[in-house]
Amino acid sequence: MENIKVVLWGLGSMGSGMARFLVDKKGIEIVGGIANRESKAGKDLGSLLELDRELGVEVTNNPEEAITGDVDVVLHATTSFLKDSFPQLKLIIEKKVNVISIAEELAYPSAEDEELTEKLNLLARENGVSVLGTGINPGFVLDLLIITLSGACATVDKIKASRVNDLSPFGPTVMKTQGVGTTVEEFNKGLKDGSIVGHIGFKQSIAMMADRLGLELDEIKQTREPIVSKTHRETPHVKVEPGMVAGCKHIAYGIKDGEEVITLEHPQQIQPEKEGTDTGDYIKIEGVPGIDMAIQPEIPGGIGTMATAINMIPQIVKAVPGMLSMKDLPVPSAMMGDVRKLVEDLV
Amino acid sequence: MENIKVVLWGLGSMGSGMARFLVDKKGIEIVGGIANRESKAGKDLGSLLELDRELGVEVTNNPEEAITGDVDVVLHATTSFLKDSFPQLKLIIEKKVNVISIAEELAYPSAEDEELTEKLNLLARENGVSVLGTGINPGFVLDLLIITLSGACATVDKIKASRVNDLSPFGPTVMKTQGVGTTVEEFNKGLKDGSIVGHIGFKQSIAMMADRLGLELDEIKQTREPIVSKTHRETPHVKVEPGMVAGCKHIAYGIKDGEEVITLEHPQQIQPEKEGTDTGDYIKIEGVPGIDMAIQPEIPGGIGTMATAINMIPQIVKAVPGMLSMKDLPVPSAMMGDVRKLVEDLV
């Protein structure tokens, strides 16, 4: 079997991070890199990634140039949204190349737009390729991992899970979209005008779980509240005084017959330790048996997303054509050997 | 789609437990029950299970009678061992029926006997059916769940996991095979003569993980030690005085270049709380990122095994023919809706 040929579309922190991990994987060959910024075009990917060697791959702004028919997988990291992804995915699919995207809404796109999802699905089938959205969340902690744990349950009554993380390492964009450093008034205004968004992906996670477990939910509800700080908190990018907003507490509910069958919480803030909050991923299943899981600290978002996406390469190469989700495929695993052997071993 | 037709082979505590969970599942129909004991034959399965209704299924001692061509899956719960299972599996497979077995060695049978596994694999393929071994351990906690968590890691250096449980609810057979209530001398003698065995399944779990992660291990080593009690411990079936053996500490190592890449511990004893030991399932992955997971208390062994096995019914109905393992298929999930819909939704 030949090396698996991968193109990176999007060379921001996520795309570059995935590329850095992939250059060390046996059986994988990066054959193209598509950057948004013009200043990156023409550079060797190795120097763009600050590796100690050139990779012989010239970064381009032109997807048509990078994605040729013998590419096996495009790793897509340009946006969070289905609508913005669509024309890019269409281009990839029509070149008859598989896609793994970290766009949050692609983790379970039918939760966002059934019609566009079916279009993608048909397009993928017509062209004989597979499309998958994944990442740490949605895609792993608050959906695939819960589904997996429920596999040891004969019955499930309720699911409550939370992902408590620390936004301190992130830059100004994340501070703005999570409302860090605002007043409560500014926060509420930001929610209304859409500049403060909280987490993207709850609808996807809840719909994926509900479909897999056969829970027939009536609706999905979401609430977003300011996390008002009692203490002084500070990062290189933002200062939060007591009474100001340290982050966004975003909660989503999957409701059936008026009851919250699924509750997912994702409070995102800077310096949660300042008020005694331990970060972690927590999953509690009420059922037979009950399961109470904790991962402390939480699986880090950035690396976790890069890892989950690259680790699905063997599965997507082997998968049946169509628009797929994490619940449909064998689970990812760290790729420590020859990735071609992993592909061959998948049934 | 018609109801999924299931036969239970083995109606001890595991087989009966699976049957009790299955009678409430929509889209599944129990059409046969095979018991080992003659005294059970001729009874209605419903009364054998102590349900409040008859099921219209007569328990038999004769597998030939129960397993007809229109059965979809046999749930096999008669033994822990591959060799003992083989003639029974052969009979099922030649009737062109899929099998899910809770025999520990079947979770990854090639770790026990490659030749016999290949025979099973060929037989299954010739007859167009799928064979899967599963259960809580091996099959879930110390293999599938670790594989899944490693899916969020870009690299894995070492895996250390332990399953700390309480044997107190179990009967005299388990006390004997784990050496509970023996002197240290008797324990060591029991290890030598094979009457004390510890956990069955470490080789399977380690080989499954190593193959999936692409770790090329040199060897698998195991140690079994007596857990010598410092306190008085007692259950309805056994008494342990200080200085006597409260259980068996079984450890397995997956070794590469002299280093323990995988370490799995499974100390099994009665009343671990008497010496301040909390029961739980613990997984620690050293890698990028590191992951530190705890499930407290542990997922219970009995119900967990029943649940894991029944929850793989949709996957095995849909799977490609052959001898499969948990790493090959989409993960199990609790079946709370119509199981036929789950089957249809699997890609």
Short mmCIF file of all heavy atoms in Angstrom, two decimals, chain A residues 201-224:
data_model
loop_
_atom_site.label_atom_id
_atom_site.label_comp_id
_atom_site.label_asym_id
_atom_site.label_seq_id
_atom_site.Cartn_x
_atom_site.Cartn_y
_atom_site.Cartn_z
N GLY A 201 -21.64 23.67 19.06
CA GLY A 201 -21.60 22.22 18.95
C GLY A 201 -22.56 21.46 19.83
O GLY A 201 -22.68 20.25 19.73
N PHE A 202 -23.26 22.16 20.73
CA PHE A 202 -24.16 21.44 21.64
C PHE A 202 -25.28 20.72 20.89
O PHE A 202 -25.61 19.57 21.21
CB PHE A 202 -24.79 22.41 22.64
CG PHE A 202 -23.98 22.60 23.89
CD1 PHE A 202 -23.84 23.86 24.46
CD2 PHE A 202 -23.38 21.53 24.52
CE1 PHE A 202 -23.12 24.04 25.63
CE2 PHE A 202 -22.65 21.69 25.68
CZ PHE A 202 -22.52 22.95 26.24
N LYS A 203 -25.87 21.41 19.92
CA LYS A 203 -26.96 20.77 19.16
C LYS A 203 -26.45 19.50 18.50
O LYS A 203 -27.13 18.47 18.47
CB LYS A 203 -27.48 21.73 18.07
CG LYS A 203 -28.47 22.75 18.56
CD LYS A 203 -29.20 23.42 17.39
CE LYS A 203 -28.29 24.38 16.66
NZ LYS A 203 -29.00 25.12 15.59
N GLN A 204 -25.22 19.59 17.97
CA GLN A 204 -24.62 18.44 17.30
C GLN A 204 -24.43 17.27 18.27
O GLN A 204 -24.78 16.13 17.99
CB GLN A 204 -23.28 18.83 16.67
CG GLN A 204 -23.38 19.68 15.41
CD GLN A 204 -23.91 21.09 15.63
OE1 GLN A 204 -23.77 21.66 16.70
NE2 GLN A 204 -24.55 21.65 14.63
N SER A 205 -23.84 17.56 19.44
CA SER A 205 -23.56 16.50 20.41
C SER A 205 -24.84 15.84 20.89
O SER A 205 -24.93 14.61 20.97
CB SER A 205 -22.80 17.08 21.62
OG SER A 205 -21.50 17.47 21.24
N ILE A 206 -25.84 16.66 21.21
CA ILE A 206 -27.08 16.09 21.75
C ILE A 206 -27.81 15.28 20.68
O ILE A 206 -28.28 14.17 20.95
CB ILE A 206 -27.98 17.21 22.32
CG1 ILE A 206 -27.33 17.76 23.60
CG2 ILE A 206 -29.39 16.70 22.61
CD1 ILE A 206 -28.12 18.84 24.31
N ALA A 207 -27.86 15.79 19.46
CA ALA A 207 -28.56 15.05 18.40
C ALA A 207 -27.85 13.73 18.09
O ALA A 207 -28.49 12.69 17.88
CB ALA A 207 -28.68 15.91 17.15
N MET A 208 -26.51 13.76 18.09
CA MET A 208 -25.76 12.53 17.81
C MET A 208 -26.06 11.46 18.86
O MET A 208 -26.34 10.31 18.56
CB MET A 208 -24.25 12.82 17.79
CG MET A 208 -23.42 11.66 17.25
SD MET A 208 -21.64 11.75 17.67
CE MET A 208 -21.16 13.30 16.94
N MET A 209 -26.02 11.88 20.15
CA MET A 209 -26.31 10.92 21.22
C MET A 209 -27.74 10.42 21.17
O MET A 209 -28.00 9.22 21.32
CB MET A 209 -26.06 11.57 22.58
CG MET A 209 -24.60 11.75 22.88
SD MET A 209 -24.36 12.28 24.60
CE MET A 209 -24.64 14.03 24.44
N ALA A 210 -28.67 11.34 20.96
CA ALA A 210 -30.09 10.96 20.96
C ALA A 210 -30.37 9.96 19.85
O ALA A 210 -31.04 8.94 20.06
CB ALA A 210 -30.97 12.19 20.82
N ASP A 211 -29.81 10.23 18.66
CA ASP A 211 -30.03 9.31 17.54
C ASP A 211 -29.42 7.94 17.84
O ASP A 211 -30.01 6.91 17.56
CB ASP A 211 -29.45 9.88 16.24
CG ASP A 211 -30.32 11.00 15.68
OD1 ASP A 211 -31.42 11.23 16.23
OD2 ASP A 211 -29.90 11.66 14.71
N ARG A 212 -28.21 7.93 18.40
CA ARG A 212 -27.55 6.65 18.62
C ARG A 212 -28.22 5.84 19.72
O ARG A 212 -28.36 4.63 19.62
CB ARG A 212 -26.07 6.89 18.93
CG ARG A 212 -25.27 5.62 19.09
CD ARG A 212 -25.39 4.72 17.82
NE ARG A 212 -24.09 4.27 17.38
CZ ARG A 212 -23.39 3.33 18.01
NH1 ARG A 212 -23.89 2.72 19.06
NH2 ARG A 212 -22.20 2.99 17.56
N LEU A 213 -28.61 6.51 20.81
CA LEU A 213 -29.22 5.78 21.92
C LEU A 213 -30.71 5.51 21.70
O LEU A 213 -31.32 4.78 22.47
CB LEU A 213 -29.03 6.54 23.24
CG LEU A 213 -27.74 6.21 24.02
CD1 LEU A 213 -26.52 6.71 23.28
CD2 LEU A 213 -27.77 6.79 25.42
N GLY A 214 -31.26 6.13 20.64
CA GLY A 214 -32.68 5.92 20.39
C GLY A 214 -33.56 6.67 21.37
O GLY A 214 -34.66 6.24 21.70
N LEU A 215 -33.07 7.80 21.88
CA LEU A 215 -33.88 8.68 22.73
C LEU A 215 -34.65 9.59 21.78
O LEU A 215 -34.03 10.27 20.95
CB LEU A 215 -32.98 9.56 23.60
CG LEU A 215 -31.93 8.83 24.43
CD1 LEU A 215 -30.91 9.82 24.99
CD2 LEU A 215 -32.59 8.04 25.55
N GLU A 216 -35.93 9.60 21.87
CA GLU A 216 -36.69 10.47 20.96
C GLU A 216 -36.98 11.79 21.64
O GLU A 216 -38.01 11.97 22.28
CB GLU A 216 -37.94 9.76 20.47
CG GLU A 216 -37.58 8.72 19.39
CD GLU A 216 -38.66 7.69 19.18
OE1 GLU A 216 -39.79 7.89 19.67
OE2 GLU A 216 -38.37 6.66 18.53
N LEU A 217 -36.05 12.73 21.51
CA LEU A 217 -36.18 14.01 22.20
C LEU A 217 -37.25 14.87 21.53
O LEU A 217 -37.47 14.79 20.33
CB LEU A 217 -34.85 14.76 22.18
CG LEU A 217 -33.67 14.06 22.86
CD1 LEU A 217 -32.41 14.91 22.72
CD2 LEU A 217 -33.96 13.78 24.33
N ASP A 218 -37.90 15.71 22.34
CA ASP A 218 -38.86 16.67 21.79
C ASP A 218 -38.17 17.96 21.35
O ASP A 218 -38.54 18.55 20.37
CB ASP A 218 -39.94 16.99 22.84
CG ASP A 218 -40.68 15.74 23.27
OD1 ASP A 218 -40.98 14.90 22.39
OD2 ASP A 218 -40.94 15.58 24.49
N GLU A 219 -37.17 18.37 22.14
CA GLU A 219 -36.48 19.61 21.75
C GLU A 219 -35.12 19.71 22.43
O GLU A 219 -34.82 19.00 23.39
CB GLU A 219 -37.32 20.84 22.10
CG GLU A 219 -37.66 20.93 23.57
CD GLU A 219 -38.36 22.24 23.95
OE1 GLU A 219 -38.15 23.26 23.26
OE2 GLU A 219 -39.10 22.24 24.95
N ILE A 220 -34.32 20.61 21.88
CA ILE A 220 -33.02 20.93 22.46
C ILE A 220 -33.07 22.40 22.87
O ILE A 220 -33.42 23.26 22.06
CB ILE A 220 -31.88 20.68 21.46
CG1 ILE A 220 -31.78 19.18 21.12
CG2 ILE A 220 -30.55 21.19 22.02
CD1 ILE A 220 -30.81 18.86 19.99
N LYS A 221 -32.78 22.68 24.14
CA LYS A 221 -32.78 24.07 24.63
C LYS A 221 -31.38 24.45 25.08
O LYS A 221 -30.62 23.60 25.54
CB LYS A 221 -33.71 24.18 25.85
CG LYS A 221 -35.15 24.46 25.52
CD LYS A 221 -35.90 24.80 26.80
CE LYS A 221 -37.40 24.87 26.54
NZ LYS A 221 -38.17 24.95 27.80
N GLN A 222 -31.07 25.73 24.98
CA GLN A 222 -29.76 26.19 25.43
C GLN A 222 -29.88 27.46 26.25
O GLN A 222 -30.73 28.30 25.97
CB GLN A 222 -28.85 26.45 24.22
CG GLN A 222 -28.64 25.23 23.34
CD GLN A 222 -27.53 25.43 22.32
OE1 GLN A 222 -26.42 25.81 22.66
NE2 GLN A 222 -27.84 25.20 21.06
N THR A 223 -29.04 27.58 27.26
CA THR A 223 -28.96 28.84 28.01
C THR A 223 -27.50 29.27 28.07
O THR A 223 -26.59 28.43 28.13
CB THR A 223 -29.48 28.69 29.45
OG1 THR A 223 -28.65 27.74 30.14
CG2 THR A 223 -30.92 28.20 29.48
N ARG A 224 -27.29 30.57 28.04
CA ARG A 224 -25.94 31.12 28.17
C ARG A 224 -25.96 32.23 29.22
O ARG A 224 -26.75 33.17 29.09
CB ARG A 224 -25.44 31.65 26.83
CG ARG A 224 -25.12 30.53 25.83
CD ARG A 224 -24.88 31.07 24.45
NE ARG A 224 -26.09 31.68 23.92
CZ ARG A 224 -26.20 32.17 22.69
NH1 ARG A 224 -25.19 32.11 21.86
NH2 ARG A 224 -27.34 32.72 22.27
#
